[in-house]
């Protein structure tokens, strides 16, 4: 009977110590980062699907610059070839590869949109116009999802690095998670230029 009592008391003490040292907070914030990450991935996947349709529409313009189009196709292929999972958050190299691939795709898409300015027939294409609107909405969703992820990771990392919860992190292997770097954040948060209301200004003559 006494052994049972001591075991129960020890178990209760462990539970109380875990709740007091942030163990439950780690569980909550870890799940929060995974949820926020899933939304980031979902929105980038949605953009990728739209770009696939965009490429097919642009192909209809017989004289469109193939180099620009091929850059988008290659960048999209590279971005979609990277398999991302919740474990990616704990793999710095995989996370950086994901960032870089999405940044390259954003840049290629921006160049494509600028090039379209030279093709009035393509700009007037209803299918292209609809895709433009859908891309604008998706870029906004990406920005919101990315912001939510950044904040959730910041909250988690503060817990993982602060005393005494950093001791709990060490015991249970809760490492700080990767977040978007400043340089990459600036690059991938720059939405592709999709406003076709005005044409680029002609270079000034000398």
């Amino acid at each position: 009977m006494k052994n049972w009592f001591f075991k129960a008391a020890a178990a209760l003490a462990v539970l109380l110590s875990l709740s007091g040292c942030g163990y439950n907070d780690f569980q909550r914030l870890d799940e929060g980062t995974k949820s926020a990450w899933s939304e980031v991935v979902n929105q980038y996947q949605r953009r990728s699907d739209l770009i696939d349709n965009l490429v097919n529409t642009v192909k209809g313009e017989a004289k469109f610059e193939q180099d620009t189009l091929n850059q988008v196709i290659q960048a999209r292929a590279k971005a979609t070839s990277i398999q991302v999972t919740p474990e990616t958050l704990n793999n710095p190299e995989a996370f950086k590869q994901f960032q870089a691939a999405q940044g390259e795709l954003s840049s290629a898409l921006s160049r494509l949109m600028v090039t379209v300015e030279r093709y009035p027939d393509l700009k007037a294409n209803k299918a292209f116009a609809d895709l433009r609107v859908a891309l604008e909405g998706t870029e906004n969703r990406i920005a919101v999802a990315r912001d939510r992820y950044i904040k959730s990771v910041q909250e988690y990392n503060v817990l993982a690095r602060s005393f005494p919860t950093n001791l709990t992190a060490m015991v249970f292997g809760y490492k700080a998670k990767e977040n978007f770097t400043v340089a990459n954040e600036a690059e991938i948060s720059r939405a592709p230029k999709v406003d076709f209301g005005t044409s680029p200004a002609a270079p000034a003559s000398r």
Side-chain angles (χ1 to χ4, degrees):
M1 185 71 178
K2 289 183 178 180
N3 288 337
W4 178 88
F5 175 78
F6 285 124
K7 289 181 180 179
L12 179 60
V14 170
L15 289 175
L16 290 175
S17 65
L18 288 177
S19 62
C21 67
Y23 179 81
N24 290 336
D25 289 332
F26 274 112
Q27 305 307 306
R28 174 176 58 83
L29 295 180
D30 187 47
E31 289 301 318
T33 58
K34 290 178 181 178
S35 175
W37 173 248
S38 295
E39 184 60 20
V40 170
V41 174
N42 287 341
Q43 294 306 327
Y44 275 124
Q45 181 59 54
R46 185 173 189 272
R47 181 177 73 165
S48 179
D49 293 341
L50 287 172
I51 291 175
D52 192 30
N53 294 332
L54 183 73
V55 167
N56 289 331
T57 301
V58 172
K59 283 180 178 179
E61 180 65 42
K63 298 181 180 179
F64 193 83
E65 298 175 18
Q66 289 302 306
D67 286 346
T68 303
L69 185 59
N70 287 337
Q71 288 175 5
V72 173
I73 294 173
Q74 292 170 6
R76 180 187 177 279
K78 182 177 180 179
T80 55
S81 69
I82 298 176
Q83 298 298 316
V84 289
T85 67
E87 285 67 38
T88 303
L89 304 182
N90 303 316
N91 186 329
E93 188 60 33
F95 192 86
K96 289 177 182 177
Q97 289 178 357
F98 174 80
Q99 292 186 85
Q102 293 299 336
E104 289 177 17
L105 182 54
S106 292
S107 297
L109 182 58
S110 294
R111 289 191 293 271
L112 175 68
M113 291 301 183
V114 171
T115 303
V116 167
E117 293 285 352
R118 306 169 191 161
Y119 299 87
D121 291 342
L122 183 57
K123 288 167 56 178
N125 184 302
K126 185 179 184 304
F128 186 87
D130 290 344
L131 286 169
R132 178 201 67 187
V133 173
L135 274 170
E136 288 176 339
T138 300
E139 291 296 340
N140 290 334
R141 291 187 183 94
I142 287 173
V144 171
R146 190 177 54 248
D147 185 61
R148 180 184 169 216
Y149 171 75
I150 290 171
K151 290 178 179 177
S152 67
V153 170
Q154 287 175 340
E155 188 176 3
Y156 175 93
N157 285 350
V158 167
L159 185 69
R161 291 166 175 161
S162 300
F163 182 83
T165 50
N166 64 328
L167 301 178
T168 303
M170 287 189 289
V171 171
F172 291 96
Y174 291 120
K175 298 180 180 179
K177 296 182 183 294
E178 289 295 311
N179 213 339
F180 291 111
T181 61
V182 175
N184 187 266
E185 172 67 8
E187 174 63 25
I188 64 178
S189 65
R190 188 180 300 113
K193 182 180 178 181
V194 291
D195 181 6
F196 300 122
T198 59
S199 299
S205 58
R206 295 184 180 179

